[in-house]
Amino acid sequence: MADSVINPLNNYSTSPAGNSVNTSKSEDNSSASSIDEEGFLNLFIEGLKNQDPMSPMSNTEMMGQLTQLTEIQNTMNMKKILEQLASSIQSQNPIGQFLDLMGKTVKINDENNKLIEGQVLSVGKDGDQVVFELMNGDTYNVNQIVGVTEA
């Protein structure tokens, strides 16, 4: 029978007398809620190494923990793919980020530094520049916008 049982979740060793002894060599400042898949796997393996041989982890518990690891890995992979997709979409179509201007009233400074106000009819591209058209037919660069309000 083992003299002490190490619990990898809190880095404490419990002696047979029930006294707790801190076995952590360095303090970890990261929160438990921000564990990554590698950290989870290391924790899982430590738990397997140090489990009580007289009452080992059940197959159900082990499968549950492995399922959690798979879910963490899949979520992280999905997050990475979504970030790449969003970046790709934005770089391919810069108009998308200005579509919410349609139907709204914008205030712009024209070339003569004159303040103009009008409702946006459409958004499009003119060469490399994103432009919008007002209801009166005038077209302006989105960089000229100084204010936006609901129509």
Side-chain angles (χ1 to χ4, degrees):
M1 186 162 176
D3 289 333
S4 65
V5 177
I6 297 174
N7 183 348
L9 295 176
N10 60 13
N11 291 326
Y12 283 93
S13 174
T14 306
S15 66
N19 299 331
S20 293
V21 180
N22 189 347
T23 60
S24 176
K25 293 182 180 163
S26 65
E27 286 194 28
D28 187 9
N29 292 333
S30 64
S31 71
S33 64
S34 66
I35 191 169
D36 62 354
E37 66 181 273
E38 185 176 336
F40 182 87
L41 187 57
N42 288 336
L43 194 62
F44 180 72
I45 290 170
E46 282 300 312
L48 287 176
K49 281 191 222 175
N50 296 303
Q51 66 181 325
D52 183 3
M54 296 309 218
S55 63
M57 182 187 313
S58 72
N59 289 341
T60 306
E61 287 176 304
M62 188 179 301
M63 290 307 295
Q65 290 186 6
L66 288 173
T67 301
Q68 287 176 341
L69 175 63
T70 303
E71 288 174 4
I72 291 170
Q73 187 176 25
N74 289 340
T75 301
M76 293 181 79
N77 289 341
M78 195 179 327
K79 178 183 175 194
K80 190 183 303 180
I81 290 169
L82 286 174
E83 287 172 347
Q84 291 171 347
L85 180 63
S87 174
S88 173
I89 288 172
Q90 188 173 13
S91 66
Q92 290 178 3
N93 187 6
I95 296 171
Q97 60 186 320
F98 298 104
L99 288 177
D100 62 337
L101 290 175
M102 291 177 44
K104 294 187 179 172
T105 301
V106 294
K107 293 179 184 177
I108 60 166
N109 278 329
D110 68 358
E111 293 81 25
N112 301 325
N113 209 21
K114 179 180 166 189
L115 190 63
I116 299 174
E117 188 173 315
Q119 189 173 4
V120 177
L121 176 65
S122 65
V123 178
K125 282 182 77 173
D126 184 14
D128 288 339
Q129 307 241 339
V130 178
V131 295
F132 62 95
E133 180 183 6
L134 296 180
M135 291 289 193
N136 65 8
D138 293 340
T139 302
Y140 299 95
N141 187 306
V142 294
N143 295 328
Q144 293 175 284
I145 297 173
V146 294
V148 179
T149 58
E150 291 292 328

